[in-house]
Amino acid sequence: MVDDLASEILDATYRALCDHGYANLTVQDIAAEADTSNASIHYHYNSKEQLFAAFLDQLYERFTDRVDSPEGDTAYEQLDELLQILLTTDADPSLREFRTAMLELEAQAPYNSTIQERLTDFDEFLIERLRKILAAGVDNGEFDDDIEPSRDAEYLATTITGAHTRHVAINQSSDQLYDTITRYIERHLLADEQPEVGR
């Protein structure tokens, strides 16, 4: 039961953060969202900083579960699946809420080392996931052997993060950017001749 309440507090933090924003968010807002008391929250989390550290750890688990193993028989198919997960919104309308929560926390990162360290984990995980896909594609001949997987992974991650910011800040659909990045990959990353799957 105690663990269930701790988990519900983190879920309530997610909802309250999306509704109120970080700057205006209070423990009372989270308590009301969780249908519990301030005392219960302080029992589980000694401070707001500790609560948000645990909250970011939970978000990190959700994020890595979503992007860790994209489906596909080839590196290109895996990259495309990953981009669809990260950029298209039709499949999961709740992504806007997730991105809103992340943007709220990103704005605090320059002033809060705990938040900054955990957001760095998100960034590094995404870049490494992209790098591995690109490197595998170079090894099997799908991607041009002149590309630099680390550099191109960082470029793609930066573009994806910018798309999420635009999606939240000005309600700009990130689906269009998915099409743009797909064309970029086809023109600049794919090898001229593709190997046949299974050979």
Side-chain angles (χ1 to χ4, degrees), residues 24-169:
N24 297 319
L25 185 63
T26 66
V27 172
Q28 180 56 48
D29 293 327
I30 297 170
E33 192 69 46
D35 195 23
T36 190
S37 65
N38 287 18
S40 292
I41 292 178
H42 288 299
Y43 174 79
H44 288 89
Y45 305 101
N46 293 329
S47 65
K48 186 177 178 182
E49 181 169 338
Q50 186 187 59
L51 169 59
F52 270 89
F55 170 68
L56 276 168
D57 289 341
Q58 183 190 68
L59 281 190
Y60 182 79
E61 285 185 20
R62 291 180 181 179
F63 176 74
T64 55
D65 284 346
R66 283 176 52 226
V67 306
D68 190 34
S69 301
E71 296 180 359
D73 294 326
T74 67
Y76 177 70
E77 289 175 356
Q78 291 172 11
L79 180 58
D80 184 65
E81 173 71 12
L82 183 56
L83 292 174
Q84 288 187 51
I85 291 170
L86 292 169
L87 290 174
T88 60
T89 55
D90 292 342
D92 188 357
S94 68
L95 282 178
R96 182 173 171 81
E97 290 184 358
F98 177 84
R99 293 171 185 172
T100 299
M102 292 301 294
L103 186 60
E104 286 283 351
L105 293 169
E106 286 164 7
Q108 306 307 313
Y111 319 105
N112 186 312
S113 61
T114 299
I115 291 176
Q116 187 176 71
E117 288 168 6
R118 280 166 169 78
L119 290 179
T120 299
D121 291 339
F122 281 84
D123 191 64
E124 290 179 347
F125 183 89
L126 176 57
I127 290 174
E128 180 60 14
R129 186 81 282 267
L130 289 164
R131 187 200 66 77
K132 284 183 176 179
I133 293 174
L134 292 174
V138 171
D139 289 343
N140 67 23
E142 288 180 74
F143 296 126
D144 196 306
D145 58 11
D146 286 336
I147 75 169
E148 297 176 26
S150 295
R151 180 200 64 192
D152 288 295
E154 187 167 1
Y155 170 79
L156 290 173
T158 301
T159 304
I160 290 164
T161 301
H164 292 174
T165 299
R166 294 183 72 208
H167 180 215
V168 172

